[in-house]
Amino acid sequence: MSEPGDLVAPSDPRDLVVVGAGPAGLAAAATALDGGLRVVLVDAGAAPGGQFWRHPPPHAQGTIPTADLHHGLRTYRALRATLSAHERTGRLTLLLNHHVWTTAREEDGFTVHAVDRGRAPEERAVVLRAPALLVATGAYDRQLPFPGWDLPGVLTVGGLQSLLKGGGVVAGRRVVLGGTGPFLLPVAAALAARGAEVVAVCEAAAPSAWLRHPVPLLRNPAKWAEAARYAGTLARHRVPVRTRTAIVGAEGEEEKAGRVAVVRTASLDADGCPLPGTERRIEADTVGVGWGFVPQLDLLLPLGCELADAGDGTMAAAVDDGQRTTVPGLYTAGETCGVGGAALAVSEGRVAAVSVLTDLPAPGRPNARRTAAERRAVARHRSFARAMAQAHPLPPAWPTWLTDDTPVCRCEEVTAGAVRSARADAAASDHRQVKQLTRAGMGWCQGRMCGPAVHCLVSARDQPYAPAERLIATPVTLGALADSGESTSDHT
Ligand SMILES: Cc1cc2nc3c(=O)[nH]c(=O)nc-3n(C[C@H](O)[C@H](O)[C@H](O)COP(=O)(O)OP(=O)(O)OC[C@H]3O[C@@H](n4cnc5c(N)ncnc54)[C@H](O)[C@@H]3O)c2cc1C
């Protein structure tokens, strides 16, 4: 339990709070600091880097080698060096292990409420204030349920990658990966390079879909070089990539506490229906599934930030060409604005920081030529992201893979049958109504896992998913909540 005396709030004034130290947040903080601003950079993780540059916690970094799993480390190291230099001069306060649970708009800026979990299980309340707030909280894995997806040994592909990068852990011996999108390739390559037998990579889309987007392809040759590297690794390790194929079921083994033992895959028709006679049974002890990502909007929605269609079945934060949201003083960059990879996140972070420098009475002036180049980079990467979304859609008929007893919301144990009944009997047409009728999305994860799937099961096909607004982004102890109230009155 924390004591009110533990409350922390940087006493000297700050110009900008950046939440999220992934590629977008690191780049934004570095640019803002170079421009003369005083910045607080907050991240829930134990080390900066976000998902793309996830590293083991500082005490383990010397003992768990992960450099071979990374790309773009030169950029990461340059950003870290910039931040370290500013930390030494006192212009940067870097708060790791700090989870922001809510934010509020004040007359003169924003209040950011976080809990310091650096000395878990203790939690300390931390309250920060600044005239400008930049949210760079990234995205999380999008999941589509299938019979057996709740068995031990079935993970998200992002989860498999996090275990590798964050702890050097290879989560299985015989692994099958499935879903859609280029992210399947680095995960398969990393697992194979670290000794796992990757038995199959099941990509639901057809690669020929990319041929409909020649311009973004030609404008982003680096992406193809990267894909070719992964293809080389997969070929060396004899990993088969099966296109127009999906994981449609998994079965557990009683002797192994129900852990997954068999994966069922099938070829798909153009709509995503399994083709009769194509089902295969593959022995595996681990399954990784990923259907793209969902922007993490928890901190933006309660502030009133408007959303826009990201083009991949999700809604993302609406921003102008300077990464300004529709709320004055609130900026966002990276995958909160739509999923597009780390290079896009870095460019958006820089552009967002330039806008903060322009909008605040900042001591430094942004370099106009560099800003224009960064905006061009954002446009180029965004066009690639749009092409990626179109080439890797969710198979429209995936709900046909589900039996009525397939769990959809694992926290509250709500089945596909119950969700279908909510639609058929009570005319539920979005995940909020289904939540009221069935409790789907009401559990610990607050719909992060099941929300997109419930949405697809009941909503019109072309309607993108927007998560429900939550005032509290992470569970916090009552003690931290109480401390937070005292801290607010102490520092206003
Ligand atoms: C699990 C996972 C693994 C991924 N691995 C890869 C990979 O290996 N290669 C690849 O190309 N792409 C990967 N991606 C895609 C990836 O998200 C990016 O392309 C890139 O990291 C996006 O950068 P970003 O800065 O927008 O967000 P992120 O890198 O996601 O950074 C967001 C940061 O915000 C922090 N954060 C979020 N909410 C809060 C909060 N409330 N309070 C405090 N801090 C918060 C997080 O801890 C995180 O450090 C992964 C995605 C996921 C979800």
Side-chain angles (χ1 to χ4, degrees), residues 157 175-189 191-192 197-205 230 234 238-247 265 282 288 290:
V157 280
V175 187
V176 178
L177 300 182
T180 195
F183 186 47
L184 294 173
L185 301 181
V187 181
L191 285 168
E197 185 186 355
V198 183
V199 198
V201 177
C202 304
E203 164 58 68
Y230 297 137
L234 297 185
R238 298 178 191 283
V239 175
V241 178
R242 301 198 176 118
T243 55
R244 284 213 173 218
T245 303
I247 295 172
T265 69
I282 305 174

Side-chain angles (χ1 to χ4, degrees), residues 78-279:
L79 290 170
R80 288 293 311 267
T82 304
L83 296 189
S84 298
H86 287 291
E87 215 175 0
R88 283 194 293 277
T89 65
R91 302 186 78 77
L92 169 69
T93 306
L94 176 61
L95 300 178
L96 296 171
N97 294 306
H98 281 61
H99 208 130
V100 175
W101 59 270
T102 200
T103 49
R105 216 170 143 192
E106 315 283 350
E107 252 175 39
D108 54 351
F110 297 86
T111 303
V112 173
H113 294 267
V115 280
D116 174 1
R117 291 179 170 152
R119 288 178 293 172
E122 258 182 57
E123 284 197 350
R124 287 196 306 167
V126 174
V127 181
L128 307 160
R129 286 196 187 81
L133 172 63
L134 200 158
V135 174
T137 47
Y140 53 91
D141 285 282
R142 176 161 58 185
Q143 288 298 289
L144 297 183
F146 55 88
W149 78 303
D150 53 336
L151 293 175
V154 181
L155 288 90
T156 65
V157 280
L160 284 169
Q161 184 78 329
S162 297
L163 287 168
L164 268 173
K165 287 186 172 177
V169 175
V170 182
R173 282 197 294 274
R174 261 180 83 83
V175 187
V176 178
L177 300 182
T180 195
F183 186 47
L184 294 173
L185 301 181
V187 181
L191 285 168
R194 287 302 179 92
E197 185 186 355
V198 183
V199 198
V201 177
C202 304
E203 164 58 68
S208 56
W210 278 99
L211 300 176
R212 289 197 286 274
H213 310 280
V215 178
L217 288 188
L218 292 172
R219 289 180 71 202
N220 289 277
K223 300 277 187 195
W224 289 100
E226 194 182 332
R229 275 199 307 275
Y230 297 137
T233 307
L234 297 185
R236 262 199 318 283
H237 292 277
R238 298 178 191 283
V239 175
V241 178
R242 301 198 176 118
T243 55
R244 284 213 173 218
T245 303
I247 295 172
V248 294
E251 294 164 19
E253 208 168 53
E254 247 171 57
E255 302 86 75
K256 293 187 181 159
R259 190 182 170 95
V260 64
V262 170
V263 179
R264 288 188 280 113
T265 69
S267 302
L268 304 178
D269 69 13
D271 217 29
C273 281
L275 288 166
T278 63
E279 190 167 309

Side-chain angles (χ1 to χ4, degrees), residues 53 78 303 331:
W53 288 317
L303 290 170
Y331 307 79

